[in-house]
Amino acid sequence: MKALFAIPAVMLASVSFAEAGPLLEEARSYFEPLPSTIPSVQGHRITPEKIELGKALFFDPRLSASGVFSCNSCHNIATGGDDNMEVSIGHGWQKGPRNSPTAFNAVFNEAQFWDGRASDLKEQAKGPIQASVEMANTPENTVATLKSMPQYVKWFEEAFPEETTPVTFDNVAKAIEAFEATLITPAPFDAYLNGDEEALSPLQQKGLQAFMDNGCAACHSGVNVGGHGYYPFGLIERPGADVLPLDDKGRFAVTKTADDEYVFRAAPLRNVALTAPYFHSGKVWDLKVAIQIMAESQLGVSLEEDESEAILAFLESLNGQVPDVTIPILPASTATTPRPIDQILPLTQ
C-alpha cells in the first residue's frame, strides 16, 4: 500500500528557487511539478479502503456485460496506462471510435475524454461501463453483480461506512476514481522543476527551450503538460483525413456549436513516449512525426531536424516512475452472479 501513497523522494528533491537558472525560471512559468501526495478530488474523501476497492474494480472484467473487458483492458497499467492500439477493442470485438488516453496522471486533467464530455474521473468511469462498444453493461447489472459476492459487499461497507446501502453505481465510480488518483508518475522533469537542474540532459534542456520558444507550451502546460483547454486540430493547417478523420468532429458532439468542430482537449504529455500511437485517431505511431505534425498544423512552424530531436528528448524526460501496483485477487462469482452475455459479433468485421 505504501507505494500508492508516496512519490519517490529522489524525484522530488528540491533546492532553493533562488538558485534557479534562466531556463528553469522560464519553465516554472509554464509548468508545475507533480504533488508529493495523492491529490484530493471533489465530492468524496480518498481513503485506503476506497483505493483498494477501486483497484479491484479497475481490474475486474465482470464490470463488462461479457465478463471479458476491464478498465485495465484499455488503460493497461503495464503499458503506459493505455492499450497501445490505434483504437480499443470492446464488446463483440467492436472497434471504438478514438484512441484510448492514458490513465496515468489523468486526475490532473481539466476534463476527461478527448472531447471533455466527462468533468472528472467519477463521471468518466461510468461511461465505458455503459458504452455499447466498450463494456456494454448497465448500472443495474453492475450493482447486481457486485452484490452477489459477499467479499465485494464487505469492501463497499468498509469503503463507504457512513452509507446504509453502499453498493451503488455512484460508489463504483468513486472507488475507481480513488484508485486512479494514485496513478501518479513522477519523472525527471519533476526533479528539474523542483530545482535539480542536472535532472535533464543538455539535449533535453535544449528541447525544453525549443518546446517553449516554438509555442508548444501555450497549450501543453501545467502539472500534466496539457490536459486542459480545447483547441482546433489544424489551427493553422488542417492535417489530412488520414490523421484527422472528417467524420469525428470532436467537441462539437458535446456542445453542438459550430465553432467546436474538430476541436479537442489538449493532450497531456506525461509518458507520451510510452503511449503510441498518437492523436485521437491513433494514426501516427512515431512520436517525432507527431511532433512535426503538431508544429505545422497548430503553430505553422517547420521544425529543423535537430529541433525535432531535441523536443523528442525533452518529452522523454516526462516518462515517469509507475507506482507499484499489485494485481488484486478478486472475489469469486457465486450462484447468483449474473452470467456473462455472449460476444455476439464476429471477431473480424
Side-chain angles (χ1 to χ4, degrees), residues 4 24 27 31 36 51 59 76 78 111 131 144 151 197 199 206 229 242 253 255 261 276 297 321 330:
L4 294 178
L24 177 53
F31 310 105
S36 59
I51 291 170
F59 283 95
N76 196 318
Q151 183 63 68
E197 297 190 58
K206 179 181 177 182
D242 56 331
T255 66
E261 289 189 358
S297 64
Q321 184 170 329
L330 302 175

Side-chain angles (χ1 to χ4, degrees), residues 183-248:
L183 300 179
I184 300 171
T185 62
F189 188 50
D190 295 295
Y192 179 80
L193 291 173
N194 278 309
D196 181 2
E197 297 190 58
E198 295 183 3
L200 300 190
S201 70
L203 181 60
Q204 289 172 332
Q205 292 189 36
K206 179 181 177 182
L208 169 60
Q209 188 71 70
F211 190 87
M212 294 186 294
D213 287 349
N214 283 290
C216 308
C219 301
H220 298 283
S221 59
V223 68
N224 223 5
V225 196
H228 58 85
Y230 301 94
Y231 305 93
F233 192 2
L235 184 63
I236 304 299
E237 181 180 334
R238 180 170 291 185
D242 56 331
V243 174
L244 180 63
L246 297 179
D247 58 350
D248 184 350

Side-chain angles (χ1 to χ4, degrees), residues 99-306:
N99 180 258
S100 179
T102 180
F104 290 160
N105 309 297
V107 68
F108 300 112
N109 292 335
E110 174 185 18
Q112 306 300 324
F113 297 113
W114 283 97
D115 54 18
R117 65 184 182 274
S119 61
D120 55 29
L121 287 172
K122 291 189 296 293
E123 187 177 350
Q124 186 277 331
K126 295 179 180 181
I129 294 174
Q130 300 176 84
S132 61
V133 298
E134 295 184 65
M135 298 166 84
N137 212 342
T138 65
E140 296 76 18
N141 193 62
T142 301
V143 169
T145 298
L146 296 170
K147 282 186 173 181
S148 74
M149 292 173 266
Q151 183 63 68
Y152 262 129
V153 174
K154 181 175 183 293
W155 286 344
F156 271 91
E157 290 171 348
E158 292 171 346
F160 300 94
E162 71 285 357
E163 300 187 21
T164 56
T165 308
V167 187
T168 66
F169 195 56
D170 280 345
N171 285 347
V172 168
K174 288 178 180 179
I176 292 174
E177 178 181 51
F179 170 65
E180 289 194 89
T182 70
L183 300 179
I184 300 171
T185 62
F189 188 50
D190 295 295
Y192 179 80
L193 291 173
N194 278 309
D196 181 2
E197 297 190 58
E198 295 183 3
L200 300 190
S201 70
L203 181 60
Q204 289 172 332
Q205 292 189 36
K206 179 181 177 182
L208 169 60
Q209 188 71 70
F211 190 87
M212 294 186 294
D213 287 349
N214 283 290
C216 308
C219 301
H220 298 283
S221 59
V223 68
N224 223 5
V225 196
H228 58 85
Y230 301 94
Y231 305 93
F233 192 2
L235 184 63
I236 304 299
E237 181 180 334
R238 180 170 291 185
D242 56 331
V243 174
L244 180 63
L246 297 179
D247 58 350
D248 184 350
K249 295 188 177 183
R251 191 158 170 75
F252 173 79
V254 178
T255 66
K256 306 302 181 185
T257 301
D259 288 346
D260 284 334
E261 289 189 358
Y262 306 108
V263 166
F264 298 88
R265 189 203 61 194
L269 297 184
R270 286 185 177 272
N271 301 294
V272 68
L274 308 176
T275 58
Y278 301 109
F279 306 131
H280 67 286
S281 59
K283 294 293 187 182
V284 177
W285 287 83
D286 187 312
L287 182 54
K288 188 164 74 171
V289 172
I291 292 167
Q292 293 166 340
I293 289 173
M294 288 298 289
E296 293 170 2
S297 64
Q298 303 303 101
L299 304 170
V301 173
S302 294
L303 296 173
E304 299 292 337
E305 184 67 17
D306 62 335

